[in-house]
Amino acid sequence: MKEIGANGQVDYVEFNVSDIPRAKKFYGAVFGWLFTDYGPTYTEFSDGRITGGFTSTEAITPAGGPLVIFYAKDLVETQKKLQAAGAEIVKPIFAFPGGQRLHFKDPEGYILGVWTET
């Protein structure tokens, strides 16, 4: 059973997608996520720290909203995996105080980020 987090922590992230198998293939290949299917319109993912889901029952809304940012030990290698999986790099690696980051567009059109510390 999943441990309940502290008040105010991000606990679950849900993406509306048009193709659950494609989303699983993409995120599994890039980040190594594991999946639990709950019928044809929903699958839960786990990255080892947080869980979330992919649902095909809602409209896809890739623009707007908060920017979800993933962590990677090796940003260059993660960029290679993203590109090999079909992601578009929309903001190449850039430095900020304490680290580096990039932004990419996933197959559904969501803009997401990946960062690493320096």
Side-chain angles (χ1 to χ4, degrees), residues 1-111:
M1 179 176 221
K2 184 176 136 182
E3 184 177 327
I4 302 299
N7 188 37
Q9 282 185 329
V10 174
D11 185 61
Y12 203 82
V13 177
E14 195 167 87
F15 294 89
N16 300 324
V17 299
S18 62
D19 186 330
I20 289 174
R22 179 178 69 185
K24 289 170 58 176
K25 181 178 177 183
F26 178 82
Y27 285 96
V30 175
F31 296 113
W33 291 359
L34 301 176
F35 303 93
T36 303
D37 294 326
Y38 293 100
T41 61
Y42 200 89
T43 192
E44 183 177 72
F45 65 79
S46 173
D47 69 1
R49 184 171 152 218
I50 192 170
T51 56
F54 296 126
T55 181
S56 61
T57 61
E58 302 293 329
I60 297 168
T61 54
L67 176 65
V68 175
I69 302 173
F70 306 107
Y71 172 79
K73 288 183 180 179
D74 186 332
L75 194 57
V76 172
E77 182 62 27
T78 301
Q79 179 175 325
K80 289 177 186 175
K81 288 180 180 180
L82 285 163
Q83 290 171 310
E88 176 188 347
I89 304 301
V90 296
K91 190 169 186 178
I93 295 174
F94 64 95
F96 64 91
Q100 293 182 312
R101 192 165 93 190
L102 65 80
H103 295 180
F104 68 94
K105 185 184 293 187
D106 81 352
E108 297 294 341
Y110 289 104
I111 304 294

